Amino acid sequence: MIIGSLAKAAMTVVLLAAMVPALSGQSLSNQAGEALAQAVYDRPNGDDFSALVVMKLQGKEGQARQRILYSYAKEKGTAERWTLMRFIQPDDISGTGLLTQDHPGDESDQWLYLPALNKVRRISSSRKGGRFVGSDFFYEDLLDREVSMDHHYLQGEGKVGKVPCEVLVSTPKDPDNSVYSKRVSCIYRRILIPLKVELYERGKDRPTKMLTARRIKKVQGYWTILESTMYDLESGHRTQLLTNKIKYNQNLPDRLFSRRDLTDDSNEKAFRP
């Protein structure tokens, strides 16, 4: 994390706290919440990265299933981000790829390549709540979400284990552009990373899913989450992601994130960590 960015984020909150007394406490919390949400969104992640990830799917009872994949991401400018996930193990899912192109505003494109069918399928917006390859991650969970798409409210302070955090509540401005009615994030201010996010699906008054982050360390100067878990709080199922290797700023070519290369992984191999 760049020290200057942290200092800027902290100064923003200090200035908000010192604003005109005529502002209500609710307004101050909303503005402070938006400032924190923006600081988290702007946290440096490099121009691009590639990672080797182990995905473990665990039911409430029974043995865990394991999958191995490579993940690639590239920043393309303001609110423009491209990502690619490519499975390499086990054999029944090897070669499967998901390409996501996030654009400014509520615009994104997702395509899923299924080698067994030799077809690329576009993921429609109506499938945001669909589960990605049977995991506990919805397709929406793999999309970028801009700060301006939600209302943000700083609720107060909390803890994740013994680590202090700030509780940020985010609700969609347009209820129809998300499968979630609310996200409650516990953010560790020092590194601007959510340590826990409770996800409320529409029509539910309790969180139905929860995302946690562990094993956070600096890699090439960037704070990096090396272990995260998405829990389905209703079924007891969970999906764990373990990042075994990661490499930033390789100048990944745009062709890696094209529909043509989604069916052919040969160009990726030179950039795998």
Side-chain angles (χ1 to χ4, degrees):
M1 177 59 61
I2 298 174
I3 294 176
S5 298
L6 276 172
K8 184 183 291 185
M11 183 58 71
T12 300
V13 176
V14 169
L15 289 172
L16 285 171
M19 288 180 71
V20 181
L23 287 173
S24 68
Q26 179 79 17
S27 298
L28 282 172
S29 292
N30 288 345
Q31 293 183 54
E34 186 162 334
L36 179 58
Q38 191 66 56
V40 171
Y41 186 85
D42 292 338
R43 177 175 58 86
N45 286 305
D47 295 328
D48 61 56
F49 72 78
S50 60
L52 175 63
V53 180
V54 175
M55 174 187 283
K56 293 184 177 181
L57 295 87
Q58 177 71 61
K60 191 173 183 179
E61 299 177 358
Q63 294 184 337
R65 292 177 292 149
Q66 180 170 293
R67 297 168 176 173
I68 300 177
L69 64 119
Y70 283 101
S71 178
Y72 310 86
K74 183 170 185 176
E75 300 292 340
K76 291 293 293 177
T78 304
E80 182 89 11
R81 191 170 190 261
W82 296 351
T83 60
L84 171 65
M85 301 175 73
R86 174 83 66 187
F87 288 87
I88 60 170
Q89 290 182 19
D91 290 343
D92 64 350
I93 199 172
S94 179
T96 298
L98 178 70
L99 172 64
T100 301
Q101 293 184 349
D102 286 301
H103 310 298
D106 186 23
E107 296 293 332
S108 62
D109 295 300
Q110 282 183 309
W111 295 274
L112 181 67
Y113 171 58
L114 301 169
L117 302 176
N118 195 28
K119 287 186 177 180
V120 174
R121 293 180 173 176
R122 192 176 191 280
I123 306 299
S124 68
S125 58
S126 63
R127 289 193 62 195
K128 283 185 176 181
R131 293 179 180 270
F132 173 54
V133 295
S135 74
D136 297 291
F137 288 88
F138 292 162
Y139 284 101
E140 178 175 338
D141 298 325
L142 306 176
L143 295 172
D144 182 50
R145 190 165 182 87
E146 296 171 47
V147 174
S148 61
M149 295 170 67
D150 297 315
H151 298 290
H152 303 279
Y153 175 75
L154 194 58
Q155 191 175 68
E157 298 179 351
K159 282 188 176 182
V160 177
K162 296 182 179 180
V163 181
C165 64
E166 296 184 56
V167 180
L168 181 70
V169 179
S170 304
T171 58
K173 291 181 179 178
D174 178 2
D176 293 331
N177 73 9
S178 177
V179 298
Y180 302 116
S181 61
K182 181 169 65 173
R183 297 171 172 84
V184 180
S185 306
C186 292
I187 296 168
Y188 186 23
R189 168 75 70 174
R190 189 169 72 85
I191 59 176
L192 295 172
I193 285 181
L195 303 181
K196 181 176 72 173
V197 183
E198 294 178 327
L199 302 161
Y200 293 70
E201 292 179 58
R202 282 184 288 183
K204 302 294 182 76
D205 57 3
R206 294 182 180 181
T208 54
K209 295 171 61 181
M210 181 174 68
L211 179 65
T212 63
R214 297 182 61 192
R215 289 182 56 226
I216 302 167
K217 64 180 290 187
K218 271 191 176 180
V219 178
Q220 293 178 241
Y222 302 104
W223 286 110
T224 304
I225 300 170
L226 299 180
E227 179 182 331
S228 60
T229 305
M230 180 69 86
Y231 296 87
D232 184 321
L233 300 177
E234 295 184 325
S235 70
H237 198 276
R238 65 181 183 269
T239 301
Q240 185 181 42
L241 299 179
L242 304 170
T243 298
N244 286 350
K245 296 179 183 179
I246 188 166
K247 192 170 183 179
Y248 290 95
N249 299 335
Q250 295 188 85
N251 193 26
L252 298 180
D254 286 356
R255 69 173 185 271
L256 258 63
F257 305 92
S258 67
R259 289 182 61 187
R260 176 181 295 178
D261 273 24
L262 185 56
T263 62
D264 179 8
D265 66 356
S266 60
N267 287 323
E268 302 166 23
K269 293 179 180 179
F271 301 97
R272 290 175 174 175

